[in-house]
Amino acid sequence: MRVSIHLLGRFAVSVDGRPIPAADWRRDRASALVKLLALRAAHRIHREQAMEIFWPDADPEAAGANLRKAIHFARRALGAHDLIEVSNDIVSLAPHAELEIDTESFEAAAKAALRGGDRSAYERAADLYGGRLLPDDLFVEWLDTPRAQSQQRYSDLLRAGGLWQRLIALDPADEQAQCALMQAALDAGNRVEAIRQFNQLRDNLHAELGVGPSAATIALYEKALALSGAATVNPSERIRTSLAWGLVHLQSGEFDKASEIARHTRDLALGADLPREVGEASALLGIASMMRAQWPQLFRTEFIEWVRAKPAFVQHVFDGHLCLSEFCLCSASGHAEVAGLARELLTVAEEAGSNAGRGLACLLLGEAALFSGDLDEAERHLTEAERLLLEADAVAGRVLAIERLAEIALERGQKWRASRLIQRGLTDAERSWLSPHLIMRMQALAVRAAATPKMVAQEILAGDRLLTHGACQPCSMALRTASAIALAEAGELDQVDRRLNDAERIAGMWHGGPWAAALWEARGVQRRAQNHEIRALAAFDEAASRYQELGRPRDQARCLARMGSEG
């Protein structure tokens, strides 16, 4: 008998050339057992080790019963009883069959290539890497080590073989690979390709605001620009260089210099009619002021200046400040300060006749009302914000308004309405340079709005695919906690702890804001699902207290209601 198992890029099993349909794996633990055995040395494991991996919180009798069920269903899916053998408490995979596993084939070829140093061997070994190990199981903790090992082996292989394009496909923000390709293009006299590589790296690094290329990479870019002389360098190329240097100064803690470059670059972008670059320069300026705890004052000054004097670019300037305004709304001091600022700015915008300014002020007022628990007032402001921002073609702000309207629909139990708003928001988000942030936020709502367990699982999986290297961590918090709560309530506890540990690490940057409260609430749901009721009640109580401190009565009431509904 011949058994073939694919783990890289997908999970697939065939027995004697017959593929086993995905539907035949009727129990997740059956497929998990096969995956575990396929990755173990000699493809065997002691039953108690398997029980500890899959059911660490269960008593031995219950864990043993669960393991027997997993073995039964795995045998049924494989179509042969002896493909899962149990002898002397050792569980083995296909001990008497010819077993072919793609991870082993790749590992053997990679080791041989790295020893030999032949480029063709590197390429042949790289061809055997079918993708990330079991990508649909990203939050299964016992897979962390083998997944990291296989990906590191692949990265080492590509780097040693100079397979830079493949390395960029693995990690688009790998500067060594991008610089190598830029240098190769320059050596070939291909200025255009070198510039294209720089822009690709810049965009990938910029998925998370405040991250940019290194000084060495920028120097290569400037060399590419100089190849054909200053006269042929277009304004957008000069502006990208300037923005990149601004980020270098920002990352070095030189906030005054970063602000100076941001203002100069924004003036250049205005003169060149480059809206996105106007927004990016504004974001750089805003981040530098945030680092010095001066953002609210800067934003007020910027708002008044732009709605009065430069209305044509108002929405693009504000796009650069949206993430920062969201950060301030979710700060430890709560939303009251931002609400007061928004009321003042709404008056300024109305006097100036600026739809973009009025729309942004209404958005902030609507969010503050939502957090304060006044759904009717929030809906009124947010509906007006969406209308005004649509007229101003301010895409990012409009998507945020739609996101908050979807939240209101969920608060009212209208999942059907929330789903329609989410779909509209996702479609619109694609048009914005802030799309990685906006889509992440919308996907969190998609998890909450899913109507059936199957739809919930699909939305969680879609969300997991967004949590890539460079994804905006604050914008991922709602997705992480929503997924953790949904999984805990569904009894999928093995995927919960890792998500909440990641969320806990990120929540530290909010210094007492709502994500710390949300994390306590999610921990409470997890503890209840684990039958630790006393710990669950303590977590819900802590979450309720934190929401109360932030002036979020509906969130507080939800946590108190959880305390009163055991199980």
Side-chain angles (χ1 to χ4, degrees):
M1 188 174 291
R2 183 170 179 270
V3 180
S4 177
I5 300 177
H6 288 274
L7 303 173
L8 294 170
R10 61 193 173 104
F11 174 62
V13 181
S14 63
V15 178
D16 283 339
R18 177 186 66 84
I20 297 176
D24 285 7
W25 299 104
R26 298 178 183 177
R27 296 291 189 276
D28 287 342
R29 280 289 173 261
S31 60
L33 179 62
V34 171
K35 295 169 186 176
L36 177 63
L37 290 170
L39 289 166
R40 297 287 292 194
H43 312 301
R44 51 192 291 172
I45 190 171
H46 194 281
R47 63 187 299 275
E48 290 187 1
Q49 287 180 292
M51 290 158 54
E52 178 62 26
I53 289 171
F54 291 139
W55 304 282
D57 298 317
D59 62 72
E61 185 176 342
N66 288 337
L67 179 59
R68 289 191 294 275
K69 289 179 185 177
I71 292 170
H72 168 74
F73 284 109
R75 285 168 169 167
R76 176 185 290 184
L78 291 168
H81 185 276
D82 59 354
L83 287 180
I84 303 288
E85 183 180 274
V86 183
S87 177
N88 296 323
D89 286 338
I90 300 296
V91 185
S92 303
L93 173 65
H96 309 296
E98 181 186 346
L99 187 57
E100 181 183 275
I101 302 174
D102 61 349
T103 51
E104 294 181 341
S105 300
F106 165 70
E107 180 70 13
K111 284 183 176 179
L114 289 166
R115 283 195 303 267
D118 178 65
R119 181 177 174 85
S120 62
Y122 290 129
E123 291 178 345
R124 286 194 301 273
D127 288 341
L128 295 177
Y129 186 80
R132 181 186 291 186
L133 181 73
L134 296 169
D136 290 345
D137 298 309
L138 290 182
F139 288 91
V140 177
E141 280 195 63
W142 61 265
L143 283 169
D144 285 352
T145 297
R147 179 177 291 121
Q149 289 173 342
S150 66
Q151 187 159 316
Q152 186 61 53
R153 180 73 74 187
Y154 182 54
S155 177
D156 292 344
L157 187 70
L158 299 178
R159 211 175 293 281
L163 303 173
W164 304 120
Q165 289 288 5
R166 295 196 192 195
L167 190 54
I168 289 170
L170 177 67
D171 180 6
D174 190 299
E175 283 206 64
Q176 182 187 6
Q178 294 280 12
C179 285
L181 290 172
M182 287 176 68
Q183 188 63 62
L186 287 173
D187 291 343
N190 190 343
R191 165 186 175 274
V192 173
E193 177 60 18
I195 290 172
R196 189 191 70 80
Q197 291 291 342
F198 176 84
N199 288 331
Q200 183 184 60
L201 172 64
R202 176 180 171 272
D203 288 344
N204 286 320
L205 287 173
H206 218 63
E208 185 170 352
L209 285 178
V211 178
S214 66
T217 306
I218 301 170
L220 268 181
Y221 179 63
E222 290 181 324
K223 184 177 178 182
L225 296 182
L227 269 181
S228 55
T232 61
V233 177
N234 65 52
S236 65
E237 292 169 341
R238 294 185 184 281
I239 288 165
R240 291 188 187 105
T241 307
S242 184
L243 281 170
W245 280 118
L247 286 168
V248 168
H249 288 290
L250 180 73
Q251 292 156 20
S252 300
E254 301 171 52
F255 303 132
D256 289 339
K257 184 63 176 177
S259 296
E260 178 187 336
I261 291 173
R263 292 183 187 280
H264 173 68
T265 305
R266 190 167 62 182
D267 288 341
L268 292 176
L270 281 167
D273 195 27
L274 295 170
R276 171 173 174 165
E277 283 73 12
V278 170
E280 290 186 352
S282 297
L284 174 60
L285 181 61
I287 294 169
S289 69
M290 179 73 78
M291 295 298 184
R292 294 174 294 184
Q294 296 173 358
W295 180 80
Q297 302 93 308
L298 171 75
F299 181 60
R300 181 182 180 278
T301 302
E302 290 258 291
F303 188 104
I304 294 171
E305 175 187 348
W306 285 84
V307 299
R308 287 177 175 170
K310 302 169 184 175
F313 277 80
V314 162
Q315 63 268 36
H316 307 299
V317 173
F318 292 164
D319 275 358
H321 286 286
L322 277 176
C323 277
L324 302 173
S325 67
E326 293 297 303
F327 188 94
C328 284
L329 276 165
C330 295
S331 67
S333 60
H335 45 272
E337 180 181 355
V338 175
L341 176 62
R343 282 189 287 272
E344 175 191 357
L345 298 183
L346 178 60
T347 301
V348 173
E350 286 173 341
E351 291 173 352
S354 168
N355 281 348
R358 290 169 58 204
L360 180 61
C362 285
L363 169 63
L364 296 176
L365 287 169
E367 290 180 294
L370 173 60
F371 299 156
S372 298
D374 191 338
L375 299 189
D376 291 338
E377 180 75 359
E379 186 172 39
R380 182 176 69 80
H381 281 303
L382 292 167
T383 301
E384 179 68 359
E386 185 192 358
R387 182 187 69 80
L388 291 166
L389 294 169
L390 176 63
E391 290 181 10
D393 195 29
V395 179
R398 187 171 78 254
V399 172
L400 284 178
I402 293 171
E403 175 198 343
R404 298 306 189 186
L405 288 168
E407 283 190 50
I408 292 172
L410 287 173
E411 284 281 314
R412 290 172 171 161
Q414 300 169 339
K415 285 191 173 183
W416 59 272
R417 184 166 182 265
S419 295
R420 287 167 53 186
L421 287 164
I422 291 164
Q423 288 307 309
R424 194 164 90 226
L426 286 169
T427 300
D428 288 348
E430 294 287 354
R431 293 180 50 214
S432 171
W433 64 277
L434 290 169
S435 60
H437 305 260
L438 301 172
I439 291 171
M440 185 88 69
R441 296 165 66 98
M442 280 293 178
Q443 192 60 40
L445 293 180
V447 171
R448 293 174 54 194
T452 67
K454 182 178 180 180
M455 292 172 65
V456 171
Q458 290 173 341
E459 296 297 352
I460 289 174
L461 182 57
D464 288 349
R465 290 173 180 147
L466 298 175
L467 297 173
T468 57
H469 177 78
C472 177
Q473 294 190 341
C475 286
S476 75
M477 278 295 294
L479 177 58
R480 294 178 192 277
T481 52
S483 297
I485 287 173
L487 287 164
E489 290 176 340
E492 300 289 342
L493 291 172
D494 61 327
Q495 296 192 50
V496 174
D497 208 47
R498 170 67 180 278
R499 294 171 189 274
L500 293 184
N501 289 342
D502 287 347
E504 190 167 15
R505 173 179 53 79
I506 298 167
M509 68 188 296
W510 295 77
H511 303 296
W515 293 126
L519 185 59
W520 277 108
E521 182 179 1
R523 286 290 188 198
V525 176
Q526 178 194 29
R527 300 308 181 208
R528 176 162 287 165
Q530 293 170 331
N531 295 317
H532 300 319
E533 188 59 26
I534 294 177
R535 294 172 68 185
L537 292 174
F540 290 138
D541 184 57
E542 180 68 24
S545 297
R546 288 176 179 252
Y547 280 130
Q548 182 181 28
E549 291 172 4
L550 292 166
R552 296 194 174 205
R554 294 185 69 88
D555 295 319
Q556 178 193 5
R558 183 182 61 252
C559 293
L560 293 174
R562 289 188 188 277
M563 293 178 66
S565 58
E566 297 185 15

